[in-house]
Amino acid sequence: DKEKGRRRGHDGAREEVDDIYVARAIGFIEENEMNHQDKPFFVYLPLNAIHAAVTAPQRFKGKSKLSGRENKILWVNESVGKMLAALDRLKLTDDTLIIFTTDNGPINSATARKKGHEPTGPYRGLKTPVWDGGTRVPFAARWPGHIPVGVTTDHLIGLTAILATIAAGIGSPPPDGAG
């Protein structure tokens, strides 16, 4: 149901939604592998694992030793790993820009906090407030030959600027009004 963030008729999807999305994304890349060797492609993979309407698969139950939310983060890690492994296997890694980020900071996980986990580190606030803890999100990019391994920056990155930044980086400006 829409109120709970789930589609009707997919009762089991709560514990497998990201496995389905990752498999389909990898399938798209594999099906078009010959085209991708010479022609750019784009995959947008919005993972659901950390959202409330989703439950971590049984293989992650208790694995983080913190809480259910942190078990779901392990599911995200596995999903990203599968995507990276597929690109390696298909020999597409060197020509592929990977960006990993999220849309907001964490929620309060009282169980994890009691066990010493501070999801926002030294920053004040959580998901939805304007404080740093709610607006600072992970952002990692990998593009062999273009982004040096291990480089970090203290510069502010605005997710709203990603379209224009990537377009400039590949020398193909977006159409007027796009993004």
Side-chain angles (χ1 to χ4, degrees), residues 94-116:
D94 289 344
D95 289 330
T96 303
L97 168 62
I98 302 284
I99 295 175
F100 176 86
T101 191
T102 63
D103 58 349
N104 51 250
I107 62 167
N108 185 24
S109 177
T111 303
R113 283 182 185 265
K114 286 179 187 172
K115 294 179 181 181

Side-chain angles (χ1 to χ4, degrees), residues 27-37 39 41 92:
F28 164 78
I29 295 168
E30 289 172 338
E31 288 170 15
N32 297 288
E33 179 183 358
M34 296 309 290
N35 292 335
H36 296 326
Q37 298 297 334
K39 185 177 176 186
F41 66 96
L92 295 169

Side-chain angles (χ1 to χ4, degrees), residues 134-156:
T135 58
R136 287 181 183 244
V137 297
F139 184 94
R142 182 183 85 168
W143 194 7
H146 300 274
I147 301 172
V149 174
V151 70
T152 62
T153 181
D154 290 333
H155 291 270
L156 183 65

